[in-house]
Amino acid sequence: MCLDDAQAQVTAYAGGSPSNIVLSIPVTASVGGRCGFAPGLAPSGSTDVGEVNNAFSADFPFTLECTVPFRAAVISQNGGLLATSVTPAVGYTNLAPYLVDLNLVGDAGVTPVSGTCDTADLQTSSGAGCVFKGPATAGQGLRLNGSSYDTPGSFLRVHRGAYAAPAILTAANAYADSLTVTLSVSP
């Protein structure tokens, strides 16, 4: 077949030859991976840990809608419970560290993953390494090697034993921190 024959117009004729024409049109599609929090089930809320010198623990459950492997990461605004209203004297501190646990549960057959980090390691300005220091990217954060779609059981936990650091906590009515959880697909 020469090039002119391939580009020639083909017409079907009623009662003639050819009476029909076969036209082949390839149609393809794909579904991209996506990951987010299920509507109304993102980690949220707050907790009052009471006296900052005492032990505490609080869980914040969440449900994901991730169709591919992904990473989750956490950022601590203050690197611990911070009393911004006071300036500590020598031997005192206005920052009480605590721990953050991140637990990710996937669909059936996907092995759950978890990790624990000190809040001082979760600040974006911190050079310290933490497996789920944020923000999440395709290569940074705690990785779940599979999907997790409307599967319960994932949570963020904040906790600490009784305060035992050498510096004494400064008296203040408001020690606070804010955690941000981010997600990223990680094929």
Side-chain angles (χ1 to χ4, degrees), residues 9-105:
Q9 181 176 356
V10 178
T11 304
Y13 299 96
S17 179
S19 62
N20 65 359
I21 301 171
V22 176
L23 178 62
S24 176
I25 301 174
V27 177
T28 60
S30 64
V31 174
R34 70 179 196 88
C35 188
F37 295 106
L41 299 173
S44 65
S46 62
T47 187
D48 183 345
V49 300
E51 173 61 45
V52 75
N53 285 306
N54 296 336
F56 64 86
S57 181
D59 287 359
F60 299 91
F62 56 90
T63 302
L64 300 163
E65 289 185 347
C66 296
T67 61
V68 293
F70 66 94
R71 291 185 185 268
V74 179
I75 300 166
S76 169
Q77 179 180 355
N78 298 324
L81 294 168
L82 178 66
T84 57
S85 63
V86 294
T87 303
V90 175
Y92 291 83
T93 184
N94 63 343
L95 182 66
Y98 64 96
L99 300 172
V100 177
D101 298 343
L102 182 60
N103 185 67
L104 303 175
V105 177

